[in-house]
């Protein structure tokens, strides 16, 4: 069979691709030649559908206080070894303005579930940032009552990030002593209903899960019709009940997930998640050539950064915001890509129309 025929036979080239769990599992574990093809196809589709621009979302990890006990997470409440910090609103705004100067069109404000940060305080923070800079604001502060998401939107918040972590209800329950998958999904619905652009995703390679779980997570993320799909490798943290859990032996599985997500979600924003750099030195750069189109430089001040340790081996902990931003720009230039101009809003047709922002 010639190469030409093989390429023509690729299932995603024959119109809307609706793979079964088994078919996806096959692609997740495919051989070297098919893997190369998968990456090349995802990269070509990324170029066609979302272009050459890499949107920069400056990540500000503004508090690592957290009331939850998620089994995988290094800042879970019971982890006494985590040194806790909370940035002041003034510090956060300064940081956001720095992110803007560094070329970010968006700031992502992320924290543990920290009760000090009430809805009022978060809304005031969003308003302040929107007033001072032409920035899109993404909040990522966990599960809240539905009304809160509306208030965030009213304060000018553009997007919200809340991963579903795993689509397997039993596994979700096993890893989250404080919540259920159903509650998580209700939050995602409320976020969308509030008019916020929705980002979600899952951890790849959680303990007690295999390749079919990953296939189901990919299909689940696709069905949610997300504006942004963020997924990264699960990396065991020594201060958690899951300490010592191993990475997936075939590291390419992690990368194949992102390529498959691109093939199934042509117009979604897909970030090269930070945890990929913990996996391999240029992990995020590879991802930008395998389907991803978003990069999230860390804009958290250096003094706090090392304490926002969700997993060990987090990259850039010794860098400051300026160094990270410069590094990211150099990385993008090396790949012959361009830094995205503007806020980089959703490209998903229904949402873009609703927001009257993107074409
Ligand atoms: N390894 C990888 N990702 C993790 N997260 C939390 N703990 C870990 C870990 N040990 C991810 C979760 C969460 C996001 C902010 O970080 O998916 O939603
Ligand atoms: Fe942070 Fe390179 S991306 S130092």
């Amino acid at each position: 069979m010639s190469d030409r025929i093989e390429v023509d036979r690729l299932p995603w080239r024959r119109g809307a691709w609706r793979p079964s769990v088994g078919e996806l599992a096959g692609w997740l574990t495919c051989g070297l030649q098919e893997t190369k093809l998968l990456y090349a196809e995802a990269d070509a589709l990324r170029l066609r559908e979302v272009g050459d621009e890499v949107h920069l979302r400056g990540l500000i990890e503004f508090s690592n206080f957290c009331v939850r006990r998620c089994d995988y997470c290094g800042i879970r409440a019971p982890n006494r070894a985590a040194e806790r910090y909370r940035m002041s609103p003034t510090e956060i705004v300064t940081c956001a303005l720095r992110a803007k100067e560094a070329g970010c069109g968006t700031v992502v404000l992320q924290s543990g579930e920290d009760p000090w940060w009430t809805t009022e305080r978060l809304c005031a923070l969003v308003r302040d940032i929107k007033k001072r800079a032409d920035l899109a604001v993404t909040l990522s502060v966990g599960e809240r009552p539905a009304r809160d998401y509306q208030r965030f939107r009213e304060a000018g918040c553009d997007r919200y990030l809340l991963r579903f972590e795993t689509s397997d209800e039993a596994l979700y329950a096993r890893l989250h002593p404080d919540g259920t998958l159903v509650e998580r999904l209700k939050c995602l619905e409320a976020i969308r209903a509030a008019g916020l652009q929705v980002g979600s995703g899952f951890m790849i390679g959680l303990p007690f899960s295999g390749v079919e779980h990953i296939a189901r997570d990919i299909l689940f993320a696709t069905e949610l019709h997300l504006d942004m799909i963020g997924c990264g490798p699960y990396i065991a943290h020594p201060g958690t009940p899951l300490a010592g859990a191993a990475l997936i032996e075939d590291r390419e599985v992690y990368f194949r997930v992102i390529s498959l997500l691109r093939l199934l979600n042509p117009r979604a924003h897909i970030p090269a998640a930070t945890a990929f750099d913990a996996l391999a030195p240029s992990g995020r750069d590879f991802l930008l050539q395998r389907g991803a189109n978003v990069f999230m430089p860390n804009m958290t001040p250096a003094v706090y950064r090392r304490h926002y340790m969700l997993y060990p081996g987090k990259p850039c902990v010794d860098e400051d915001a300026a160094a990270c931003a410069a590094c990211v720009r150099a990385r993008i230039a090396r790949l012959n890509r361009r830094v995205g101009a503007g806020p980089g809003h959703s490209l998903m047709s229904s949402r873009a129309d609703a927001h009257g922002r993107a074409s």
Side-chain angles (χ1 to χ4, degrees):
M1 193 162 35
S2 77
D3 281 357
R4 175 89 210 124
I5 293 172
E6 275 189 26
V7 167
D8 281 347
R9 284 191 173 182
L10 291 170
W12 47 84
R13 289 208 172 186
R14 286 178 279 151
W17 185 36
R18 300 267 177 274
S20 65
V21 171
E23 187 182 359
L24 264 188
W27 281 104
L28 283 168
T29 50
C30 66
L32 188 64
Q33 289 312 315
E34 285 152 311
T35 299
K36 279 189 187 161
L37 198 60
L38 192 62
Y39 293 161
E41 289 284 301
D43 196 42
L45 188 68
R46 184 270 310 155
L47 175 61
R48 243 188 354 265
E49 293 290 337
V50 298
D52 239 347
E53 295 193 322
V54 178
H55 299 286
L56 300 188
R57 325 282 207 211
L59 179 63
I60 306 176
E61 299 151 330
F62 67 92
S63 164
N64 71 350
F65 282 89
C66 193
V67 296
R68 295 230 172 189
R69 296 170 295 166
C70 309
D71 274 2
Y72 44 78
C73 183
I75 64 168
R76 64 201 301 275
N79 186 8
R80 295 280 179 93
E83 200 174 303
R84 305 287 166 171
Y85 71 89
R86 180 181 292 128
M87 288 169 67
S88 72
T90 316
E91 274 180 300
I92 301 169
V93 173
T94 306
C95 226
L97 297 179
R98 235 176 250 148
K100 172 78 186 169
E101 272 167 33
C104 298
T106 298
V107 280
V108 180
L109 308 179
Q110 189 176 84
S111 71
E113 296 202 5
D114 177 358
W116 187 88
W117 277 99
T118 58
T119 313
E120 288 70 27
R121 285 180 171 140
L122 284 167
C123 286
L125 176 65
V126 171
R127 273 196 299 271
D128 204 15
I129 293 175
K130 298 293 287 190
K131 194 174 69 195
R132 286 159 184 255
D134 182 19
L135 274 167
V137 174
T138 302
L139 275 179
S140 179
V141 296
E143 292 186 24
R144 322 271 305 193
R147 174 78 188 111
D148 284 17
Y149 300 123
Q150 291 169 1
R151 292 186 55 192
F152 295 151
R153 180 78 190 113
E154 285 154 20
C157 180
D158 299 273
R159 313 186 187 121
Y160 202 94
L161 215 60
L162 182 72
R163 287 186 177 174
F164 60 80
E165 314 295 4
T166 170
S167 63
D168 185 299
E169 215 168 334
L171 180 57
Y172 190 101
R174 187 164 181 178
L175 299 174
H176 299 93
D178 309 306
T180 65
L181 181 61
V182 171
E183 283 161 3
R184 195 69 154 193
L185 299 179
K186 277 198 184 133
C187 286
L188 286 175
E189 266 175 39
I191 292 164
R192 176 159 293 161
L196 294 157
Q197 297 169 44
V198 191
S200 191
F202 56 92
M203 278 178 283
I204 308 163
L206 281 168
F208 324 114
S209 76
V211 84
E212 302 219 326
H213 284 88
I214 304 176
R216 276 190 219 103
D217 287 343
I218 293 174
L219 292 174
F220 191 80
T222 302
E223 278 160 23
L224 287 176
H225 203 67
L226 297 163
D227 301 295
M228 188 281 252
I229 311 177
C231 299
Y234 162 71
I235 299 169
H237 189 293
T240 64
L242 300 175
L247 287 168
I248 301 172
E249 206 168 311
D250 174 8
R251 301 286 196 271
E252 298 302 320
V253 170
Y254 298 104
F255 293 92
R256 290 186 201 113
V257 169
I258 305 302
S259 292
L260 289 165
L261 281 167
R262 170 58 69 205
L263 293 170
L264 287 161
N265 298 272
R267 305 272 295 161
H269 285 310
I270 300 184
T274 313
F276 271 93
D277 266 11
L279 199 68
S282 296
R284 284 188 281 179
D285 304 30
F286 287 131
L287 271 190
L288 289 175
Q289 300 171 287
R290 295 171 181 180
N293 72 320
V294 168
F295 204 108
M296 295 168 69
N298 196 321
M299 291 288 135
T300 312
V303 283
Y304 301 126
R305 218 178 256 217
R306 62 185 61 256
H307 302 305
Y308 200 83
M309 207 52 89
L310 309 183
Y311 50 84
K314 177 182 160 177
C316 316
V317 282
D318 294 322
E319 264 61 44
D320 63 14
C324 226
C327 169
V328 168
R329 300 183 83 86
R331 292 169 83 159
I332 292 170
R334 266 201 303 277
L335 300 174
N336 282 325
R337 299 274 282 278
R338 286 177 296 129
V339 171
H345 280 310
S346 173
L347 298 168
M348 299 293 284
S349 50
S350 54
R351 221 98 51 231
D353 294 347
H355 282 259
R357 290 156 164 165
S359 56

